[in-house]
Amino acid sequence: MVTIATANVNGIRAAYRNGMGEWLAQRSPEILLLQEVRATDEILEGLLGEGWNSVHQACDIKGRAGVAIATTLPFKAVRVGLGNGEPEVPVDTGRWVEADIELPTGETVTVVSVYIHSGTAGTPKMDQKFAHLEKVDARMRELLESGAHVVVGGDVNIAHQNVDIKNWKGNLKSAGFLPEERAYLDRWFEAGWVDLGRRHGGEGPGPYTWWSNRGQSFANDAGWRIDYQLVSPALAELASNVHVDRADSYEARWSDHAPLLADYAL
């Protein structure tokens, strides 16, 4: 079995101060997909310690975004960003990194760590999100057409259906739940991508992966399901033990997101 975990760490330095290192030692995933790293390569590598290979794209805007892939297995190839060789606009940096990883069996799995813009409805930030989603959409098509085993994991910042957000009625006009955003997920699933969180999480509502720090959102489980492992069809059939690793209490959290883990019979 190969375990893949994805987690929006909400700043990896703060996450490690609050217990991420202990969590990582206990769960021991072979592949770790990180979002909102908000640190340099050197800081990331120093926190992970020995035994990890990593590839990281920091955001050009200091203190924002940042995605990474860390693995105890060898890299065969890495690809950073969605610029196709051209410089990306600063707000799109730190949002997409992918790697081909060599498995002990000799097979290869392609993994992606993705962090899509949060956006703000009715503002230029929403235009930036949709522009980035178009680039993601094009790459998702290419990856699916490749026929490879692929896992696209991370914080997509879109809740797909009513069961993926506790207060869906109050968020129908909010970024992250707009029909135009949800249509991208519809398109990916119709093309063949498998949403492991929903396939293995039941009909819902939930399980959620992010909770606002306002009020008693975590205590009341008033969350959003916005962190995904989107998996190519053949690989999805090899997945098991898919679960949101929700902390036992608000105080035990090391991020405002919970990790999503899956085992793959590879």
Side-chain angles (χ1 to χ4, degrees):
M1 286 290 181
V2 174
T3 300
I4 299 179
T6 184
N8 180 319
V9 297
N10 194 21
I12 196 163
R13 285 168 287 191
Y16 264 77
R17 286 195 299 270
N18 291 320
M20 180 182 168
E22 292 78 5
W23 171 86
L24 187 57
Q26 291 171 358
R27 300 299 185 266
S28 299
E30 284 80 13
I31 301 172
L32 181 62
L33 312 177
L34 302 174
Q35 303 87 45
E36 280 204 271
V37 174
R38 303 206 301 263
T40 63
D41 291 354
E42 293 74 19
I43 290 171
L44 171 63
E45 292 166 4
L47 290 170
L48 289 172
E50 295 183 0
W52 290 93
N53 304 306
S54 63
V55 58
H56 171 226
Q57 187 194 37
C59 185
D60 289 349
I61 303 171
K62 188 175 180 180
R64 292 182 62 178
V67 287
I69 298 168
T71 178
T72 58
L73 302 169
F75 284 130
K76 294 185 72 173
V78 298
R79 295 170 292 277
V80 175
L82 291 171
N84 290 321
E86 299 295 327
E88 295 182 285
V89 295
V91 294
D92 282 353
T93 56
R95 297 188 180 277
W96 184 278
V97 65
E98 58 185 76
D100 302 330
I101 295 175
E102 185 176 347
L103 303 172
T105 60
E107 289 189 275
T108 299
V109 62
T110 297
V111 297
V112 180
S113 181
V114 57
Y115 176 53
I116 291 174
H117 300 238
S118 55
T120 304
T123 74
K125 289 185 177 181
M126 208 66 220
D127 297 331
Q128 293 170 347
K129 182 173 188 175
F130 283 122
H132 186 244
L133 276 166
E134 282 297 301
K135 297 177 186 177
V136 171
D137 184 60
R139 184 58 181 151
M140 294 286 282
R141 287 198 303 272
E142 292 173 351
L143 288 168
L144 195 61
E145 290 168 0
S146 74
H149 284 330
V150 186
V151 177
V152 179
D155 180 359
V156 175
N157 263 318
I158 303 170
H160 184 218
Q161 298 174 323
N162 294 352
V163 292
D164 297 314
I165 176 172
K166 182 67 172 283
N167 182 23
W168 65 268
K169 289 182 180 178
N171 283 284
L172 290 171
K173 296 183 179 180
S174 299
F177 200 56
L178 299 175
E180 301 93 329
E181 296 173 281
R182 297 159 67 189
Y184 282 92
L185 291 170
D186 289 337
R187 190 181 310 166
W188 299 341
F189 300 148
E190 288 166 5
W193 288 101
V194 177
D195 175 3
L196 285 191
R198 176 52 61 220
R199 174 180 282 191
H200 291 261
E203 295 181 357
Y208 306 122
T209 64
W210 174 80
W211 301 262
S212 170
N213 285 321
R214 299 175 183 172
Q216 297 293 312
S217 295
F218 185 80
N220 295 328
D221 200 22
W224 296 51
R225 192 177 73 91
I226 55 177
D227 301 84
Y228 295 82
Q229 288 197 33
L230 307 177
V231 182
S232 53
L235 182 56
E237 299 306 313
L238 305 180
S240 63
N241 193 26
V242 180
H243 65 282
V244 176
D245 201 2
R246 189 182 190 273
D248 292 334
S249 67
Y250 182 90
E251 293 74 20
R253 302 191 309 166
W254 43 264
S255 173
D256 54 348
H257 293 250
L260 175 64
L261 293 87
D263 293 336
Y264 295 89
L266 289 167

